[in-house]
Amino acid sequence: MRWARFQVMRSIEETITRLSEEQGQARVVAGGTDLLIQLMEEGQEEALTLLDISQIDEIRGITESEGFLLIGASTTIAELSFSELIWKKARALSQGARSLGSPQIRNVATIGGNVVNAQPAADTSVPLIALGAEAKIVSSKGERWVLVEDLFQGVGISRVNPFREVLTHFKIKIYEPPRRASTMERLSKRKAFTLPTLSVALSVELDENLNYFSEVRIVVAPVAPIPWRARRAEEALKNTAIIRANLNNAATLAKEEVHPRESLRGGIEYRKDMVEVLTKRALLNVLSLINKEPHD
Amino acid sequence: MKKRGRGIASIYFGMGNTAKPNPSSAYVELLEDGSCVIRCGAADIGQGSDTALCQIAAEALGISPERVSIKSADTLITPEAGYSSASRQTYVSGNAVRLAAEQVRQLLLREGAEVLEACQEDLIIENDLVFVRGTPSRTIRVEDLCQRLRARGILTTGAGFFNPPTPEALDPETGAGIPYGAYSYATQMVEVEVDTETGEFEVLRVVAAHDVGKAINPMAVEAQIEGGVIMGIGYATMEEIIWDERGQLLTSNFRTYLIPTALDAPLVKPVIVEEPEPTGPFGAKGTGEPPACPTAAALINAIYDAVGVTISSLPVTAEKVYLALKKKRLEEKKENLC
Amino acid sequence: MTERAITFTLNGIKQTYRVPEDRLLLDLLREDLGLTGTKRGCGNGECGACTVIVDGNPIVSCIYPAVKIDGREVMTIEGLSKTSRDLHPLQTWFLKTGAVQCGFCTPGMLMSAKALLDRNINPTAEEVREAIVGNLCRCGAYQKIVEAVLAAAAELRGESFPERSEPAEKGAIGRRLPKFDGILKVTGAAQFAADLKRPDMLFGAMVCSPHPHAKILEINPEAAFSEEGVVAILTAKDIPGPNSYGVIVKDQPFLASEKVRYVGDPVAIVIGKNERIARIAARKVIVKYEVLPPVFDPREAMKPEAPKIHEQGNILIYRKIRKGNIDEGFKQAEVIVERDFTTQTVEHAYIEPEAALAFWEGDILVVQCCSQGPHYHRQEIARMLNLPISKVRVIQATTGGGFGGKIDLSLQHFVALGTYMTGKPVKMVWTREESFRTSTKRHAFYLRYRFGANKQGRLCAAYAEIIGNTGAYASFGPAVITRSATMALGPYDCPNVHVDAYGVYTNTQIAGAMRGFGAPQMSPCHEPIMDEIARRCGLSPLEIRRINMLRVGSSTVTQQVLTAGVGALETLEKVAAEIK
């Protein structure tokens, strides 16, 4: 058997109950487009019970309220990529979703599964972190909200334990002009359906007079075992004038603070240089979304 | 900054196994209703040899191709026809089928001459009818001829085999000799747009002109050209088998070994050139391999045209283009300082 | 294994079925319900050959648990048309435009296209490409596929679509006829080897070497036999005939006996009651190896001190061309361009993984398999089993692409041996990973070129050194190197040519025949040289080729004088016309 049982859950409550009952012999699965491949790799045999949460209505769908977007964890990547709401108010996430996999994969893969799979360059994780997103984790002990950024421990190692808890929702502050915007840049070896050589996602908030960045979040991956916040670059931009020299400087800082390893996806020199290029492009793009031209 | 460039590349390609005999054989059976069955060992692997052989038989017999069927690649039923490789099936098996069909044609002509009271040389077989040149009213249907022959105890079957003419073994010292019976020639042009900041490039379009002698089925020939170019693009830009230092494959699935998707395939304009091959069936030679041969070369030339760097290894990647441009900029800076 | 009853609508018909909870939808369709139109190309959701439509959405069924279709509507290729006569417009247009080549990607492709048109009846060409981006087509038929989908969309909207005009119907040559085997492919009815089955069929799985170079000390099948349902475990000692084969040089064992020479070299075959049992047991076969030092780079492998991969040494073949006098030629040259170039090893990557089925029919051993040449397979299998050739029958099943990779034996001999030893039908289907590891590849070339020309751009000297990595066994190595020597110069006329071409063994994947046989590797070396010569002579890329291209009367590198059928210049002029 690749797994022993595959049970479709109807509610989060049922899921939590089953997890407790199985005491570590059962784990949550959503779309399964990563997990099932891992379980089937060169024929492992697992006495595992999979609890399918992909069809639980209470954790599907995208709603907006009071300046926030609430996204159910079992919302499919396809639903995210088609959503007008996400395109307008959390653009970087829409861009990430549209780059993920193929149409067939997007119809099944979920945003929750993508985050819990904990790949550093996952196409929803990178923009979620750039958007400052929070995730709701539910277990038999109760519920908590955690920054998505804090869910990553290592490559494939999530701080969410799928044997005991369920990630149910994401909450994102709305990033929309005139003061806020987000964007994502991505390099890959093929036009589509390919893991990224490099991704940069960023979100910005400008002050009321649109003179400087009051808030910047820049995420770069894969350059480390977890998604990387380019904090030195962010610090250099915060509360400074929006002029090209500052943008270029920040891009250079982003490049200097990353230390990627050699990888099949690309050499170190190239990827570092591209961090600078993509960061610069992302900054210019996000400014054009706000209709703000950087001064020279 | 985006810069565009164009590059061309030419190749030639011998049809069939190099300097070795590689014969094909075929049986053709014309049935009493004027339809035809071919038996030939040539394996159709998607390139369309089954259909092309049917068209060749139909032409040789003068019947409509819709009446022709083929059984191929079953060793108990079909005679040998070599591998479906070396771009040889249209050329070699095509000739075998043509020769087998010619045998049947001879039977039809002899019988037709009697029935229509004409000389064999004056007979034409076309669209399932045999008629006398100049007097189209004197006709007889092919199936009627077959039935007449049967009534006399003659079955309309033919067998043929063909080996490319004079593939001689090459001289071991000089390599001199005639390695192939026929050659195909091709030139391709790639138009590319390079992003100088990232090294990424996009193949905008490819024009692929291929001399196939005679296109038995132009749609199938186009498909081979378009498909070969796309395989060439994959080879040129994204495919690579990679091992670790212990000889273990790191690329053993489609996530790590990338082949072109529908979005990676550029617009391809196939141009069929027909310079008749005297030894080929109705002038045809092969087209399976040549389309996959010049594309990478044309791309490298196009990138030079666009940004002035020549890449020295495959695959051509954004990284290689970027690093070559970076090196070039540094060298130019040094020169300017001197 | 727990089973569950699920109720679903499949191709319009509601049904209930009991499935094990670890069943994949693809296997429910293919194995349980006998709907073999949906294909397995990779098993990882990465190629799209297994695409079916669930509740209107295309999904990859090879990673989709069957229990998930409970309460849902599923469409497969078999549901696209009511009968094989009453085709859906997508199917008729796929046939009319030539979008069907090998047919293996076709069912999945049609499903993605159907789902697109159900959602958007007026897609742009770009939208069509995006919709099928998850369906890989190695035959590269994308352009014609897009044309077909746009045409079908137009027909479904009630509009007409411009069809290509055919010349007046005279004769059969030059006619754009849809492929005669096309209908089977667009309806999913074409039988590829993995679709075949026979009663009482067993399944074979390989045990392969994990080392690039090692001596085999012992093969211990005991633990594997403890797995219930294992029928036989076959090694080299079970082979009745000589344990060697090869298309040119018979240096490859049917099953490795003394040595393994690459990671993936097959060592044993486990025959079991079904695929799962055979594969589990195969992992339990214990093989003891003495690891030998490997060599991966052919330039290293050529050196006398390199580890010997084959007894006769690591240089499989050396082919030379000596035309004219190269030293004189370079003395005359006013422009000399040198270029070193390396190419990578690549894979055929046909979407159909290798598959074969063998069985006895009376006293004839029959093998149905993917193949580019069944007569060659027959010959080798007969040799292996000491049977007269007439007692072996090889039937090519519909084959999902070859590109040179399905000429050598891959698994035909394994199933034949299995049937020979057990008396029962034996089937084997490779996973994508097995196909990557064990099957042949295109030679990587290390090239050193030097061309000389006079100031008018006329070539007067050409030197080429070619070192090809032929991998662990010969396969088509000698032919690739020989052909490469004859094409090393490119399509040009040059009086003085010197080529040294080597095929060298290494402990990497076997390099054999792959579309182009040396030309794809060499043209990116010589074509930029021609452009550079052009630049130095103040000529354009077109002009330099006009001056040097082969024509009737030219002498090739093998000193053959061409007499007819030389369309080279015409191809150049056709391209030139496009540039204007």
Side-chain angles (χ1 to χ4, degrees):
Chain A
M1 325 154 275
R2 305 171 179 107
W3 48 86
R5 303 218 57 186
F6 192 95
Q7 300 181 318
V8 176
M9 300 288 100
R10 298 290 160 200
S11 69
I12 292 301
E13 198 186 325
E14 183 187 0
T15 312
I16 300 295
T17 307
R18 289 290 295 123
L19 284 172
S20 306
E21 281 170 6
E22 292 290 331
Q23 295 193 19
Q25 291 295 105
R27 63 158 290 165
V28 168
V29 65
T33 53
D34 284 313
L35 178 63
L36 299 187
I37 295 176
Q38 288 160 22
L39 291 177
M40 294 195 288
E41 217 154 85
E42 309 267 22
Q44 296 174 68
E45 300 273 306
E46 290 274 357
L48 195 58
T49 293
L50 297 177
L51 304 175
D52 174 8
I53 61 168
S54 69
Q55 300 184 57
I56 299 177
D57 286 331
E58 64 186 284
I59 60 170
R60 291 175 65 180
I62 305 161
T63 54
E64 176 183 0
S65 101
E66 294 168 8
F68 282 87
L69 293 172
L70 195 66
I71 306 173
S74 287
T75 307
T76 65
I77 304 298
E79 285 161 353
L80 277 183
S81 70
F82 289 136
S83 160
E84 270 298 300
L85 206 53
I86 302 285
W87 177 252
K88 281 208 188 101
K89 308 194 178 188
R91 175 150 308 186
L93 180 59
S94 189
Q95 290 166 312
R98 291 168 190 212
S99 322
L100 194 156
S102 65
Q104 292 94 319
I105 297 287
R106 293 196 284 272
N107 280 329
V108 175
T110 66
I111 183 173
N114 192 233
V115 169
V116 174
N117 191 43
Q119 292 301 309
D123 285 306
T124 62
S125 303
V126 171
L128 280 171
I129 295 172
L131 292 162
E134 290 176 79
K136 180 173 169 188
I137 320 282
V138 176
S139 73
S140 55
K141 301 212 178 84
E143 12 181 281
R144 64 191 202 278
W145 283 93
V146 184
L147 277 176
V148 171
E149 188 177 345
D150 292 335
L151 290 178
F152 295 81
Q153 201 168 319
V155 178
I157 306 173
S158 173
R159 288 218 169 86
V160 176
N161 183 344
F163 289 86
R164 283 212 303 263
E165 48 196 1
V166 189
L167 193 166
T168 62
H169 293 87
F170 295 96
K171 187 164 75 176
I172 315 177
K173 197 165 69 172
I174 285 171
Y175 274 78
E176 189 179 32
R179 281 177 64 189
R180 298 197 196 124
S182 69
T183 193
M184 181 168 166
E185 298 282 325
R186 192 181 192 276
L187 282 183
S188 66
K189 287 192 171 189
R190 190 172 64 173
K191 282 255 182 78
F193 199 4
T194 309
L195 296 171
T197 301
L198 190 70
S199 294
V200 172
L202 67 82
S203 72
V204 298
E205 181 182 283
L206 269 57
D207 72 299
E208 298 157 348
N209 302 318
L210 305 181
N211 284 331
Y212 54 87
F213 293 117
S214 53
E215 214 180 273
V216 186
R217 244 183 251 105
I218 304 175
V219 183
V220 182
V223 293
I226 61 175
W228 182 262
R229 282 280 296 276
R231 289 183 195 276
R232 285 177 58 201
E234 292 172 0
E235 281 309 305
L237 283 172
K238 249 160 96 170
N239 301 323
T240 64
I242 299 176
I243 56 174
R244 280 190 195 273
N246 287 345
L247 302 181
N248 292 341
N249 178 49
T252 307
L253 284 173
K255 164 181 159 181
E256 284 168 5
E257 65 176 297
V258 299
H259 305 285
R261 292 173 319 179
E262 280 297 338
S263 127
L264 279 188
R265 301 200 205 173
I268 293 174
E269 181 184 349
Y270 180 64
R271 284 183 304 151
K272 285 190 70 148
D273 282 6
M274 289 305 104
V275 170
E276 182 170 5
V277 173
L278 292 194
T279 304
K280 210 181 299 190
R281 284 188 180 181
L283 285 167
L284 289 172
N285 279 342
V286 91
L287 288 171
S288 80
L289 287 172
I290 300 180
N291 272 322
K292 175 83 183 170
E293 190 68 37
H295 298 295
D296 283 317
Chain B
M1 198 186 328
K2 299 254 175 102
K3 288 188 166 174
R4 289 197 178 186
R6 283 188 182 135
I8 63 174
S10 299
I11 55 119
Y12 81 132
F13 202 88
M15 308 282 94
N17 297 359
T18 312
K20 270 190 179 155
N22 59 119
S24 285
S25 53
Y27 304 139
V28 166
E29 195 185 346
L30 188 60
L31 305 173
E32 62 264 35
D33 66 347
S35 69
C36 170
V37 177
I38 306 169
R39 291 176 185 77
C40 180
D44 191 326
I45 47 174
Q47 85 284 38
S49 53
D50 276 0
T51 308
L53 294 178
C54 288
Q55 288 178 255
I56 288 171
E59 182 76 11
L61 290 168
I63 63 176
S64 44
E66 289 79 3
R67 288 190 175 191
V68 185
S69 309
I70 182 168
K71 173 69 188 165
S72 62
D74 177 337
T75 62
L76 191 62
I77 298 177
T78 65
E80 265 199 69
Y83 315 127
S84 290
S85 81
S87 308
R88 60 182 286 286
Q89 290 298 13
T90 303
Y91 178 58
V92 186
S93 294
N95 267 327
V97 168
R98 181 183 61 80
L99 290 167
E102 294 276 334
Q103 283 191 358
V104 175
R105 186 190 179 85
Q106 289 309 309
L107 293 172
L108 292 176
L109 290 175
R110 222 171 334 141
E111 186 71 10
E114 245 189 65
V115 172
L116 298 175
E117 294 170 349
C119 299
Q120 282 187 43
E121 302 77 59
D122 292 331
L123 292 182
I124 295 177
I125 315 181
E126 213 171 78
N127 290 338
D128 311 302
L129 283 176
V130 185
F131 57 91
V132 182
R133 187 180 293 119
T135 48
S137 54
R138 279 158 72 194
T139 84
I140 181 167
R141 297 183 314 169
V142 165
E143 53 263 47
D144 294 330
L145 271 181
C146 288
Q147 285 163 30
R148 282 181 61 105
L149 283 161
R150 266 164 195 260
R152 294 202 313 180
I154 298 172
L155 294 174
T156 42
T157 60
F161 84 89
F162 180 78
N163 185 39
T166 68
E168 298 173 357
L170 299 177
D171 182 294
E173 283 310 306
T174 63
I178 298 179
Y180 307 101
Y183 294 88
S184 173
Y185 304 85
T187 302
Q188 292 185 1
M189 182 205 66
V190 163
E191 196 172 322
V192 77
E193 184 174 84
V194 180
D195 181 335
T196 58
E197 279 193 317
T198 60
E200 286 172 303
F201 52 90
E202 178 163 353
V203 175
L204 299 172
R205 69 175 181 133
V206 179
V207 177
H210 285 260
D211 171 21
V212 302
K214 179 76 191 161
I216 303 293
N217 183 324
M219 193 161 72
V221 171
E222 284 166 12
Q224 284 294 84
I225 295 175
E226 290 163 19
V229 166
I230 288 167
M231 202 173 240
I233 294 284
Y235 181 58
T237 65
M238 60 180 75
E239 297 181 37
E240 192 169 4
I241 293 284
I242 302 177
W243 298 267
D244 67 13
E245 62 293 340
R246 298 169 305 136
Q248 305 290 331
L249 259 190
L250 293 173
T251 54
S252 59
N253 56 39
F254 285 128
R255 185 173 52 246
T256 48
Y257 187 88
L258 303 175
I259 69 175
T261 67
L263 285 174
D264 299 291
L267 284 174
V268 181
K269 179 168 178 176
V271 178
I272 297 177
V273 170
E274 291 176 321
E275 184 58 44
E277 171 52 48
T279 61
F282 306 107
K285 42 196 177 185
T287 199
E289 287 169 282
C293 299
T295 319
L299 173 68
I300 290 178
N301 284 343
I303 290 177
Y304 182 89
D305 188 46
V307 292
V309 296
T310 305
I311 303 299
S312 339
S313 66
L314 289 184
V316 180
T317 60
E319 180 171 344
K320 285 181 189 172
V321 173
Y322 173 81
L323 291 174
L325 284 172
K326 192 175 179 184
K327 186 166 169 220
K328 182 163 179 274
R329 277 196 306 269
L330 285 170
E331 280 166 3
E332 281 165 0
K333 253 195 215 151
K334 277 191 206 142
E335 279 174 29
N336 289 339
L337 290 174
C338 292
Chain C
M1 167 47 48
T2 318
E3 283 187 350
R4 172 123 55 89
I6 53 175
T7 302
F8 51 94
T9 305
L10 176 59
N11 296 329
I13 299 176
K14 195 161 179 185
Q15 52 191 286
T16 300
Y17 204 85
R18 282 191 76 75
V19 279
E21 288 186 6
D22 72 338
R23 208 94 173 104
L24 296 165
L25 176 57
L26 181 61
D27 294 320
L28 169 68
L29 294 170
R30 287 178 57 81
E31 308 297 326
D32 302 334
L33 300 175
L35 297 172
T36 57
T38 310
K39 307 300 179 195
R40 174 178 264 113
C42 70
N44 278 348
E46 286 155 358
C47 74
C50 66
T51 303
V52 299
I53 305 177
V54 174
D55 282 353
N57 288 324
I59 60 110
V60 276
S61 60
C62 69
I63 54 172
Y64 197 87
V67 292
K68 278 176 80 154
I69 63 170
D70 193 18
R72 293 168 128 165
E73 277 186 37
V74 181
M75 174 187 269
T76 69
I77 185 67
E78 290 88 352
L80 188 55
S81 62
K82 291 202 186 65
T83 67
S84 65
R85 298 240 161 222
D86 182 20
L87 298 177
H88 187 279
L90 277 169
Q91 290 165 311
T92 41
W93 280 103
F94 261 56
L95 292 172
K96 279 202 241 194
T97 62
V100 184
Q101 291 274 80
C102 77
F104 197 79
C105 80
T106 304
M109 193 72 76
L110 283 167
M111 289 291 97
S112 289
K114 171 78 163 78
L116 168 69
L117 295 187
D118 284 348
R119 202 177 65 232
N120 175 2
I121 196 62
N122 198 356
T124 61
E126 183 73 3
E127 284 169 330
V128 176
R129 283 177 186 257
E130 282 166 2
I132 60 171
V133 78
N135 293 83
L136 297 178
C137 169
R138 190 52 159 165
C139 299
Y142 297 122
Q143 198 154 284
K144 292 186 178 323
I145 290 170
V146 171
E147 192 186 332
V149 177
L150 293 174
E155 182 176 323
L156 289 167
R157 292 194 304 271
E159 297 160 21
S160 66
F161 190 85
E163 278 186 65
R164 306 245 197 157
S165 59
E166 273 265 71
E169 301 219 342
K170 196 168 164 213
I173 302 299
R175 298 260 310 267
R176 304 176 66 89
L177 296 174
K179 294 210 172 82
F180 287 11
D181 56 355
I183 291 186
L184 289 172
K185 292 174 178 178
V186 297
T187 54
Q191 296 284 288
F192 295 81
D195 303 328
L196 302 169
K197 58 160 107 169
R198 294 188 76 87
D200 237 13
M201 188 173 76
L202 303 173
F203 202 95
M206 295 188 293
V207 179
C208 293
S209 167
H211 302 292
H213 199 196
K215 278 199 196 131
I216 299 174
L217 298 175
E218 189 196 356
I219 303 175
N220 187 346
E222 244 180 78
F225 268 120
S226 71
E227 192 71 26
E228 197 185 316
V230 172
V231 173
I233 298 180
L234 307 174
T235 63
K237 59 173 173 41
D238 296 303
I239 294 171
N243 186 17
S244 68
Y245 77 94
V247 284
I248 300 169
V249 175
K250 296 201 183 306
D251 69 342
Q252 189 166 0
F254 291 107
L255 280 170
S257 59
E258 288 133 32
K259 250 175 84 148
V260 289
R261 296 178 173 86
Y262 70 108
V263 174
D265 206 347
V267 172
I269 304 298
V270 173
I271 312 283
K273 286 226 161 83
N274 60 42
E275 180 172 6
R276 209 187 123 258
I277 289 170
R279 288 188 178 282
I280 291 174
R283 279 191 293 279
K284 291 188 173 164
V285 172
I286 299 173
V287 185
K288 279 216 193 85
Y289 295 99
E290 179 194 317
V291 170
L292 299 169
V295 56
F296 301 127
D297 186 324
R299 295 164 299 182
E300 290 303 311
M302 285 170 88
K303 296 182 180 162
E305 64 268 23
K308 257 205 200 157
I309 300 172
H310 289 267
E311 268 318 297
Q312 66 274 29
N314 291 342
I315 297 181
L316 166 65
I317 178 160
Y318 166 50
R319 178 67 75 177
K320 46 185 181 172
I321 301 280
R322 301 282 186 268
K323 178 188 180 191
N325 184 327
I326 196 74
D327 295 321
E328 274 311 307
F330 277 116
K331 278 205 196 99
Q332 291 164 29
E334 295 166 288
V335 174
I336 295 182
V337 175
E338 291 182 348
R339 181 161 160 81
D340 286 0
F341 193 76
T342 59
T343 72
Q344 77 289 39
T345 300
V346 293
E347 153 76 29
H348 308 79
Y350 22 74
I351 307 300
E352 180 209 17
E354 289 82 347
L357 167 65
F359 54 94
W360 283 110
E361 194 154 63
D363 65 345
I364 297 193
L365 196 137
V366 183
V367 179
Q368 290 178 281
C369 57
C370 61
S371 173
Q372 290 179 241
H375 290 80
Y376 167 68
H377 299 320
R378 176 180 71 167
Q379 192 187 79
E380 294 283 25
I381 290 169
R383 257 182 82 245
M384 176 182 74
L385 300 177
N386 266 342
L387 290 172
I389 292 177
S390 57
K391 296 296 184 188
V392 176
R393 176 181 182 184
V394 180
I395 306 172
Q396 183 215 7
T398 309
T399 299
F403 316 111
K406 288 177 174 165
I407 309 174
D408 304 75
L409 289 180
S410 47
L411 40 49
Q412 296 85 349
H413 51 312
F414 296 147
V415 296
L417 184 64
T419 291
Y420 182 86
M421 296 296 287
T422 64
K424 298 213 162 158
V426 174
K427 182 173 176 179
M428 184 183 279
V429 181
W430 280 0
T431 63
R432 179 54 58 181
E433 287 75 14
E434 285 173 329
S435 182
F436 265 98
R437 270 197 300 265
T438 301
S439 79
T440 61
K441 307 281 165 276
R442 174 182 282 153
H443 288 71
F445 274 9
Y446 296 84
L447 301 166
R448 316 201 80 151
Y449 269 51
R450 198 162 177 252
F451 280 13
N454 63 22
K455 253 294 189 268
Q456 288 71 48
R458 185 78 187 83
L459 287 174
C460 52
Y463 168 78
E465 180 195 76
I466 301 163
I467 298 175
N469 180 354
T470 212
Y473 297 104
S475 176
F476 278 94
V480 171
I481 296 302
T482 301
R483 180 185 270 272
S484 295
T486 70
M487 295 187 314
L489 171 57
Y492 306 116
D493 192 337
C494 179
N496 304 295
V497 181
H498 178 124
V499 179
D500 288 314
Y502 301 89
V504 185
Y505 288 119
T506 66
N507 294 115
T508 62
Q509 272 48 35
I510 306 165
M514 182 168 169
R515 201 173 189 179
F517 243 69
Q521 295 95 311
M522 298 183 303
S523 60
C525 188
H526 59 70
E527 289 306 275
I529 291 176
M530 294 303 281
D531 274 17
E532 178 64 26
I533 292 174
R535 282 190 288 273
R536 294 204 204 164
C537 297
L539 298 165
S540 74
L542 284 169
E543 285 165 333
I544 193 75
R545 288 173 177 82
R546 272 191 202 112
I547 290 165
N548 292 291
M549 198 79 96
L550 291 168
R551 60 205 78 201
V552 171
S554 295
S555 154
T556 68
V557 303
T558 66
Q559 300 174 54
Q560 173 186 4
V561 176
L562 299 172
T563 56
V566 186
L569 281 167
E570 206 184 328
T571 67
L572 186 64
E573 297 312 331
K574 280 276 168 8
V575 164
E578 284 294 323
I579 294 180
K580 297 232 155 34

